Structure formats: structure tokens, C-alpha cells
Amino acid sequence: MHRRTFILATSLIALASTASAQGWPEKTIRFVVPFPAGGPLDSVARTLAEAVSVKLGQAIVVENKAGAVGSIGTENVVRSPADGYSVLLGFSGGHALTPSIMSLRFDPLKDVPPLLGLARSELVLVSGKRAKGQSITDFIKVAKDKDNLVGGIGTGSTNHLVGELFKRATGIKGTHVPYQGAAPLSIAVIVGEVDFAVLDVGAVLPYIQAGSMVPLAVASAKRSSFLPDVPTFVEAGVAGVMFENVYGAFLPAGVPREVQNKLGQAISFALDTPAVKTQFGRLGVVPLTMGADQLDAVIRHQAATLVPVAHELNIYLK
């Protein structure tokens, strides 16, 4: 009798779950951004939320839950019900690095796995106007003859560690100077407070276009469509400096497959609309549709690239 009761209860739960998945979405969806409002990832999330909301016929709100290198917002989604109403908008570098540089109460890849990739954010080495007219080769020659101040977003960020890869590849010496975000770091580069930094193209494109910042090389396999005259590190003969942040959508483990499919299809549809493509272009990011397995592989590759650097620098955040 007890066994039959258990089987019946289990069957009823499964039927209820299926019915709930079929009716999804029936209420407001949350896009959780684990960084402050106004940044590139936040702008991508808000652009996408509007388009996905129209496709699904349901409201989507963007919630910024910043702090602890993105882990506060990520954990908020991890602890949310696995029903598809809480979606993390994060990036590959965060998933790759955070577990190795701080103590977490969750495993990002296991507890909030990728749904799909949304966009590529290219990285560029920049300096102030004093570097105007210099090629990346000229810049390296000058930088090798002095002790440099090297700007970074915080300590242990992808921008910081890609800057370290550049230093190691060229033999340049420099002291890391952390800043609380891309905006103050960009100003520091412009006024000469630091000698150089690696930043997302979207964050610095307006300064480059205004002539107040000099782009020297991009850390991609090919030239950026936003900076077609700027060489890649590979073209400049600097090996081992190749990295792009991939923005992605992540869900708590256990979300029903049908819900994952519905959300993934709605996001893919939104990414292909002219309005989203145009806005992403203004933000300096490149839209893409990358499957969950591909994004998982990118995260693991990036971890293999940057985690050893973080460990060699004894980076561990409390």
C-alpha cells in the first residue's frame, strides 16, 4: 500500500511538472545580472530582455545583484527554483575564474550551467595619447625600458589576467593597479595614471573614436570589426595573448528541458532581430548563438588558460 501510494504521488508530481513546463511562462521572468547597472553586460541584458519579452508574451525584469566578483548574483540564481523564471546573464570568464580565486558555496558549471552563448566581447590593449602614432611593436620597445603601471578591473578579473599574459609574452615589467570598473580605469588610461590596460572593446570604443585613447592590439583570432585597423596580437608577433569574454544565459540545474528549449528558442530569435543586432553593435559586442556544450567547452578552456596565472600570482579573494 505504501509503495503504491509513493508511486502514485511520484506520478502526480511528474504530471504537475510537465503541465507547468507546457504552460511556461505564466509569470514575470527575472534576468539577473551579477554586476552593477550601466555596464556592458547590463546593457546586453536589458536589450535582450525587451526582445525576448515580446517573443514570449511575458514581462522580463532585469535585476542587478552585484558584489563578490559576480558570485552574489550567481548564487541568487543557484538558490532560485529550477522553474525557468530566474536566468543568470553572466560571462564565460566569471564562470571560469571565480571558483579558483575565492571560496564559493556552489559549483558554477554544475549548479548554474549554460543555456547558450549570447555575444562575444573582444578585448583590446589600450594606452593614452602619449602612444599616438606608435605601433604595438614600438609600444613594447618603449615599455620594456621602464617600470609600468598596469591598470585592471579589480584583482583577478579576466582583463587583469589577460594583461598579465601580455606582460609575460613580451617581458614587460609592471605593477598592477586595480580600479572599480571599466569607467574609472578608462579615465586612468586617458589621463596617464596608468601606462596601459586591457579592456573590453565596447567599454572603450567611444574614447578611441574621440581620439583620447590609443588601441594597440586586440586579443582575438582575427581583427575586430569595430577596430579594423588595429592588429591582433598574433599579427604583431605576440604569442599566447588570445581571449574573448563570451556573454551567456545560465539556468539553475534541473530546469525542465521543455522550458530550456522554449527560452533558448526565444533568445535565439531575439538575437537574430535587426533591433538587437543594431543595439549590440552600438554596445561594441558581437551577437552569436552558441550552444550549451560549446559554451561549457569555452569556459573550461578559459579556466585552463587563466587559472594557472591567477595561482602563480597568489590571487585569492576573501
Side-chain angles (χ1 to χ4, degrees):
M1 184 66 180
H2 291 298
R3 174 178 168 77
R4 289 179 180 175
T5 301
F6 173 77
I7 292 173
L8 178 60
T10 303
S11 299
L12 289 172
I13 291 170
L15 285 170
S17 176
T18 300
S20 177
Q22 289 174 344
W24 185 94
E26 299 175 314
K27 62 180 182 179
T28 299
I29 299 166
R30 297 189 309 141
F31 277 7
V32 177
V33 177
F35 298 99
L41 182 57
D42 176 69
S43 299
V44 164
R46 293 180 189 278
T47 299
L48 201 59
E50 184 176 348
V52 175
S53 175
V54 171
K55 179 63 176 174
L56 291 175
Q58 187 58 260
I60 298 178
V61 297
V62 176
E63 296 183 2
N64 298 91
K65 295 188 178 294
V69 201
S71 64
I72 290 175
T74 303
E75 185 167 3
N76 177 271
V77 174
V78 169
R79 306 301 174 203
S80 299
D83 54 12
Y85 290 101
S86 296
V87 184
L88 176 71
L89 274 291
F91 68 101
S92 56
H95 257 54
L97 275 170
T98 310
S100 298
I101 61 173
M102 66 186 303
S103 177
L104 299 176
R105 293 175 291 186
F106 60 91
D107 180 334
L109 278 176
K110 177 182 176 183
D111 297 327
V112 60
L115 174 68
L116 77 171
L118 309 172
R120 293 187 296 110
S121 182
E122 300 157 323
L123 300 181
V124 59
L125 176 73
V126 291
S127 186
K129 288 191 290 186
R130 74 182 82 177
K132 195 166 186 177
Q134 289 184 348
S135 68
I136 178 63
T137 304
D138 296 332
F139 179 83
I140 291 169
K141 286 180 181 177
V142 172
K144 275 185 171 182
D145 290 335
K146 63 176 184 175
D147 289 325
N148 300 273
L149 295 177
V150 186
I153 298 176
T155 298
S157 67
T158 54
N159 306 73
H160 170 200
L161 296 179
V162 173
E164 290 293 331
L165 290 177
F166 170 64
K167 286 166 54 182
R168 292 173 183 216
T170 57
I172 289 172
K173 292 181 172 55
T175 301
H176 171 62
V177 183
Y179 288 83
Q180 297 300 311
L185 175 53
S186 296
I187 299 303
V189 171
I190 290 168
V191 302
E193 201 170 275
V194 295
D195 294 293
F196 63 87
V198 173
L199 281 157
D200 291 70
V201 168
V204 297
L205 196 55
Y207 303 116
I208 293 171
Q209 292 170 337
S212 55
M213 189 182 282
V214 178
L216 295 161
V218 293
S220 302
K222 60 182 182 179
R223 294 192 181 199
S224 169
S225 60
F226 301 105
L227 300 168
D229 296 328
V230 179
T232 66
F233 281 106
V234 173
E235 288 178 313
V238 180
V241 187
M242 190 178 295
F243 193 95
E244 292 180 335
N245 281 319
V246 177
Y247 296 155
F250 303 80
L251 291 171
V255 171
R257 178 62 61 184
E258 186 170 346
V259 172
Q260 293 186 43
N261 291 340
K262 282 185 180 180
L263 178 60
Q265 288 166 8
I267 291 175
S268 295
F269 175 87
L271 288 170
D272 201 39
T273 61
V276 169
K277 288 181 177 179
T278 298
Q279 184 59 19
F280 274 24
R282 290 180 183 138
L283 296 172
V285 298
V286 182
L288 59 81
T289 300
M290 177 183 285
D293 290 343
Q294 289 176 290
L295 182 50
D296 182 275
V298 167
I299 291 167
R300 294 180 188 277
H301 174 73
Q302 291 184 348
T305 300
L306 294 187
V307 167
V309 180
H311 286 170
E312 287 173 26
L313 294 171
N314 294 314
I315 296 172
Y316 194 80
L317 309 178
K318 296 183 180 179

